Amino acid sequence: VVLIASLVVMMLCSQTLARQLNLYDDYANAGQLLAFGIFAMMLQATTVMPLALMQARMESTAYLFASISIAVSQLATVAIALVVFDAGVWGVIIAMASTFAVFGILLTIREFSKSSPVPDMQLLWKIVAFSLPFIPSGLFFFVLHSGDQFFLINYYDAATLGIYALAYRVAKGVTTFASGPLMQVW
């Protein structure tokens, strides 16, 4: 519910947000680009719950395989979009959205086959109440790890910023495969 509400609010505000970040200076369709980018990142969230359930059942091999598959698929689709189709920013966003949509569907189907899709409502409300205070920290995490690119676009060209964003994603792989799983299991 929070994911869908956030998606709707952010997509409705994308035109204004793009204007505030001066993105229209570089892209005539910056509002639409930002809205679809937000949608792509929200699709990434569809993989979070199935991966968390794998961790809860201590299926570390399945978790690692899924995480590596998502990362490799994302890098491959982005590379194909950029190198083969020369699709630019739209290609990157479409590649990410399609990767997360496919893995979100596959992982969700896998989890529904392993357990009941009907949650224990009493436990669900406890989890929701526990997680609500973390919503602001998620917003701050996004700004900390992705927001810099919105401000750097005013000082660097899009190609340089693209290299920076790709390098950041590759470096983030270290936490995905090393400290992230260790800390979550711990």
Side-chain angles (χ1 to χ4, degrees):
V1 171
V2 171
L3 178 66
I4 292 170
S6 301
L7 173 63
V8 169
V9 168
M10 289 304 296
M11 290 183 81
L12 289 174
C13 296
S14 63
Q15 300 285 342
T16 305
L17 185 59
R19 211 172 355 293
Q20 292 296 318
L21 295 172
N22 296 323
L23 296 178
Y24 282 105
D25 294 347
D26 296 316
Y27 302 102
N29 56 358
Q32 296 156 340
L33 185 66
L34 185 60
F36 196 68
I38 292 167
F39 177 70
M41 290 299 98
M42 292 296 178
L43 284 174
Q44 181 182 12
T46 63
T47 64
V48 172
M49 185 56 72
L51 288 172
L53 291 172
M54 283 182 203
Q55 287 179 315
R57 286 194 302 272
M58 292 190 262
E59 297 175 343
S60 57
T61 305
Y63 175 83
L64 181 65
F65 178 74
S67 297
I68 289 172
S69 298
I70 291 168
V72 168
S73 297
Q74 184 180 7
L75 285 173
T77 55
V78 167
I80 290 168
L82 292 176
V83 175
V84 176
F85 296 109
D86 194 28
V89 177
W90 277 104
V92 170
I93 293 174
I94 291 169
M96 290 184 350
S98 60
T99 299
F100 293 132
V102 167
F103 277 96
I105 290 167
L106 291 175
L107 291 173
T108 300
I109 290 170
R110 178 189 186 274
E111 290 307 314
F112 279 163
S113 71
K114 289 188 163 283
S115 62
S116 170
V118 180
D120 176 356
M121 294 309 279
Q122 198 172 26
L123 181 60
L124 181 64
W125 286 118
K126 287 179 182 178
I127 291 171
V128 168
F130 175 80
S131 64
L132 284 177
F134 294 106
I135 292 173
S137 67
L139 178 62
F140 292 132
F141 181 82
F142 168 75
V143 170
L144 178 67
H145 291 283
S146 300
D148 58 341
Q149 296 169 29
F150 292 116
F151 299 105
L152 289 174
I153 194 71
N154 294 322
Y155 302 104
Y156 297 98
D157 62 292
T160 304
L161 189 59
I163 293 169
Y164 165 77
L166 179 63
Y168 184 85
R169 284 237 181 239
V170 170
K172 194 174 173 188
V174 173
T175 59
T176 300
F177 300 120
S179 63
L182 178 65
M183 297 303 286
Q184 290 171 343
V185 170
W186 185 268

